[in-house]
Amino acid sequence: MCELFGFSSAQETDIREYLTIFFSHGIRHPHGWGMMRENHSKKEIIKEPVCSATSQKISKIITETPKQKITLAHIRLATVGSVKLENCHPYCQIDHTGRCWTLIHNGTIYSGKQLIKYLYTQTGDTDSERISLALLDEINLKKPRTAQERFQVLDCFISSLAKRNKLNLMIYDGELLYVHQNMHDTLYYKSENHSIMFSTTKLDDTNWQAYPMTQLCAFQAGEKIFEGTKHKHIFVPTLEYITSMDAMNI
């Protein structure tokens, strides 16, 4: 499976050590990497369709990464879609108001008829990109005006898509960081000094905790500000799924 990393803080924080550890996991997830970071008060997305553990430029990028308030990062193990730049996360879509929605996904969509039409409009060929396109259409349709309304749209959208699908997601809308998990033991977090960090695996020996199951939460400046309703769609991997994941990690 892929791995996710997210960070939200009230104050600028040096997270380069964590990024170094996270991207070293690319040896087990060799099909691409990407990061959304702040750079001189601007958000930028950097990605590359190569193994992050052997990338010739990633160490320089991490070294030059300034202190952060918001960051998303992803390393890819391809389950749907070929190995190419267009299939690397994060994905960014602009809604009708000009707001940028940035998404990273760890999982696979097995049941999602509402995503089929995006096969013909996406630039790559991953189910994760189709999620981002469907989310954009939902935002443009519902036209949420406030942060709470945006959260409600995402809460309903993710709950409706989670049935029979593995849907570990982090989404950033320029203001809020939305986080969701529906497979046990695949997402952890730790909070300290008005900041919160999320990762598919624990990145050190400090006090990481299991992230809540089947409940979308939204964070701003390191603090949780919205909690969604818990749904019932826990993803339980089949023997075929486990076998395929084991084979891809050989």
Side-chain angles (χ1 to χ4, degrees), residues 36-49:
M36 181 204 78
R37 69 177 184 180
E38 295 177 307
N39 194 7
H40 302 295
S41 301
K42 294 182 179 179
K43 303 294 184 298
E44 65 177 0
I45 292 178
I46 310 163
K47 48 189 180 179
E48 188 181 26

Side-chain angles (χ1 to χ4, degrees), residues 152-182:
Q152 290 169 347
V153 171
L154 262 70
D155 194 31
C156 292
F157 174 80
I158 290 172
S159 295
S160 68
L161 189 58
K163 187 176 181 179
R164 295 193 295 275
N165 297 317
K166 185 185 176 189
L167 206 60
N168 288 10
L169 289 166
M170 296 184 197
I171 302 168
Y172 180 62
D173 70 2
E175 181 180 353
L176 304 181
L177 174 61
Y178 308 83
V179 182
H180 177 266
Q181 172 192 220
N182 72 335

Side-chain angles (χ1 to χ4, degrees), residues 81-248:
S82 56
V83 179
K84 58 182 180 179
L85 182 63
E86 291 83 357
N87 288 338
C88 294
H89 305 215
Y91 294 101
C92 180
Q93 310 293 341
I94 308 296
D95 71 16
H96 69 286
T97 69
R99 181 181 296 274
C100 179
W101 295 80
T102 304
L103 175 147
I104 55 177
H105 174 221
N106 167 17
T108 303
I109 302 299
Y110 296 96
S111 175
K113 292 182 179 179
Q114 66 267 51
L115 302 184
I116 292 175
K117 65 181 181 179
Y118 301 104
L119 285 167
Y120 309 103
T121 58
Q122 65 185 128
T123 58
D125 49 10
T126 67
D127 49 8
S128 304
E129 184 185 4
R130 294 193 283 277
I131 294 171
S132 71
L133 292 168
L135 173 61
L136 179 70
D137 280 352
E138 189 70 5
I139 292 294
N140 286 337
L141 175 66
K142 298 295 177 59
K143 296 180 172 60
R145 295 171 296 176
T146 65
Q148 186 167 12
E149 288 177 354
R150 294 198 305 275
F151 179 80
Q152 290 169 347
V153 171
L154 262 70
D155 194 31
C156 292
F157 174 80
I158 290 172
S159 295
S160 68
L161 189 58
K163 187 176 181 179
R164 295 193 295 275
N165 297 317
K166 185 185 176 189
L167 206 60
N168 288 10
L169 289 166
M170 296 184 197
I171 302 168
Y172 180 62
D173 70 2
E175 181 180 353
L176 304 181
L177 174 61
Y178 308 83
V179 182
H180 177 266
Q181 172 192 220
N182 72 335
M183 180 175 169
H184 284 295
D185 302 323
T186 55
L187 191 63
Y188 298 89
Y189 76 95
K190 72 171 186 175
S191 300
E192 57 184 13
N193 300 325
H194 302 290
S195 67
I196 187 163
M197 185 177 296
F198 309 90
S199 179
T200 301
T201 59
K202 301 174 184 179
L203 299 179
D204 58 21
D205 295 328
T206 57
N207 187 31
W208 291 82
Q209 301 179 60
Y211 187 78
M213 285 287 292
T214 67
Q215 182 181 39
L216 180 69
C217 298
F219 302 84
Q220 185 177 32
E223 303 293 337
K224 181 167 61 178
I225 60 171
F226 297 123
E227 286 186 348
T229 302
K230 286 197 173 186
H231 59 77
K232 299 179 180 180
H233 307 311
I234 296 174
F235 179 77
V236 179
T238 63
L239 179 59
E240 180 181 7
Y241 176 91
I242 294 170
T243 302
S244 65
M245 292 298 101
D246 288 343
M248 295 180 84

